[in-house]
Amino acid sequence: MGSSGTTSAARVAELERQLATSEAARIAAEARLAASEAARARSEEALARLERMIAQLRRDKFGSRSEKASPDQQHLPFEDVEVAEGMLEAASEEVDKALGDRKTSPRKEKRNKGHLPAHLERVAQVIEPDSTLCPCGCGEMVKVGEDRSERLDVIPARFRVLVTVRPKYLCRSCDGASHVQAPAPEWLVPRGLPTEALVAHSMVSKFGDYLPFYRQADIYRRQGIDLDRSMLANWSGRAAQLLDPIIDHMINMLKRSDHLQMDETTVPVLAPGTGKVRKDYLWAILRDQRGWGGTDPPMVVFHHSRSRSGKVARDLLKGFAGGTLMVDGYTGYDSLADPKQTARPWDIAYCWTHWRRRFVKFGQDTPSPICEEMVARVSQLYAIEKEIRGKDPETRRAVRQKLSKPIIDALLPWLEARLQDLSSASDLARHIRYGLKRWDGLTRFLSDGRLEMDTNGVENAIRPIPLTRKNALFAGSDDGAETWARIASLIGTCRLNRVNPEAYVAATLRKILDQHMQSDIDELMPWSFAE
């Protein structure tokens, strides 16, 4: 009996040991399974992130860079179809003429009658009948009316030669001792070929219309004018040197403004002695008070630098009055609000468009109710902004406090709740944290009617730089990049003030060459120009 009990106890102990081993193995297997599930989830998240990155790269390469569709871009694929349609219509009209009196279905005519600008030159072409004699033999017919139609014509850009003649006068009674001749006018290029109008045309074509000098030289060559690319560049450099005081005056005026926008973009610059292209930056500082009815004219000033660091931003804003600066979420601007790093700290306001764009792009790759709801709520804010654009600051502030603030107050807890439901490593959670981290700057516009909700103004002003960069490939030197920045400042400010930059540059160069007084430099500002 004792031996049997001992055996049973040993067997029970063995079974318990096996059971404990099995339980430990089961727990270990479950742990491995959990780890595998976590690893699989991370892999799926990484895969989804890579797929979104690839999709975004495809859109950046081949699609629109803005979440707002452009009508012109939507119609672009149909242009060739419309050309073919025009050929078909022309062929159909020929058939109609051949059929003579057969009835044909009426076509909708595409006309711009009544929409041609009144300032365009009108050249009348009167087409009289072969005879105005009555076929019944009654004599000459009387004019009782006329049909008029207008068509838009163009005279291609053409060159002409301005010949400056300075007659010499001599007194024959004084044995030639007395003589007179008008002094030679000051020219941009001494004894050179170009007029101010030609140089202005070349400058604006390159820095405003994205047409590099070598392409301009090819165009000129079609009319038998051989102008070397380097010659066009030299002329533009001479003009830029004369225009420097105007741009310096613009910068001084900008320093007195207390509500500005700032952004930056890359610009390729040829590194001396290396044969390689370096990635530099053009920084843009914008003043635009049109949104709240301010009296200061809009202007934009560009600066070239080799770096994108916050120190560059601090150096560029030295001597400014300070105030509120609207920027995107780039951390390089954070030091501008730090009293330890900036003599006159700025109140930083952040751009809603940059934050909204994150949800738009995420939703394009991964359908998400959170993204849809976020975009819808921000759209409500923009609908309010549309209604108050151009009104005085106090009205804008009051409307924002009444209508926009409740939307934003409800948005904050909703985002915080969504953040709790998402994995901390997910891209969507990162996009939400982007805005929550900058909440004070994003909501600053609610209490200041002079602020916009976004940096769209400076982004629009900076947009020609990438287009010029794409066509011109790179700037040849640091001096070339700085000249690029300064000329772009002048042309960009002309555009903001709806001034023809080519006419402005030509007229301003002539005034400077005619010894315009430095004390009257305000008269030379783009917003003071009248054609």
Side-chain angles (χ1 to χ4, degrees), residues 43-54:
S43 298
E44 290 178 349
E45 175 65 26
L47 178 61
R49 184 177 302 174
L50 287 174
E51 290 175 346
R52 286 194 294 271
M53 291 173 63
I54 293 171

Side-chain angles (χ1 to χ4, degrees), residues 48 54 58 111 138 222 231 243-244 277 386 446 475 521:
I54 293 171
R58 285 174 177 163
R111 297 189 180 215
C138 303
R222 291 203 293 264
M231 185 182 297
L243 295 169
D244 264 353
V277 175
K386 183 178 180 181
L446 293 174
I521 195 169

Side-chain angles (χ1 to χ4, degrees), residues 262-265 267 279-285 301-320 325 327 330-336 341-342 346 482:
M262 195 170 183
D263 200 0
E264 77 290 330
T265 188
V267 56
K279 186 173 75 171
D280 288 5
Y281 293 88
L282 287 188
W283 298 71
I285 307 174
V301 172
F302 293 92
H303 298 271
H304 164 252
S305 76
R306 292 193 179 186
S307 169
R308 196 193 179 199
S309 69
K311 182 180 183 304
V312 175
R314 295 194 301 273
D315 290 342
L316 291 178
L317 293 177
K318 280 183 179 178
F320 279 66
L325 183 69
V327 297
Y330 172 49
T331 56
Y333 297 113
D334 294 347
S335 63
L336 296 172
Q341 302 185 62
T342 306
W346 292 79
E482 183 60 30

Side-chain angles (χ1 to χ4, degrees), residues 243-260 285 287 289 296-297 299-303 315-322 344 346 486 489-490 493 518 521-522 525-527:
L243 295 169
D244 264 353
I246 297 176
I247 301 167
D248 291 337
H249 190 61
M250 286 171 50
I251 295 173
N252 291 331
M253 296 180 69
L254 198 63
K255 289 182 177 181
R256 300 195 293 266
S257 303
D258 58 358
H259 282 69
L260 300 172
I285 307 174
R287 179 186 74 187
Q289 302 178 355
D296 291 339
M299 73 167 78
V300 62
V301 172
F302 293 92
H303 298 271
D315 290 342
L316 291 178
L317 293 177
K318 280 183 179 178
F320 279 66
R344 294 180 178 177
W346 292 79
R486 294 178 74 81
S489 302
L490 211 55
T493 301
Q518 177 76 18
I521 195 169
D522 286 330
M525 294 295 106
W527 49 84

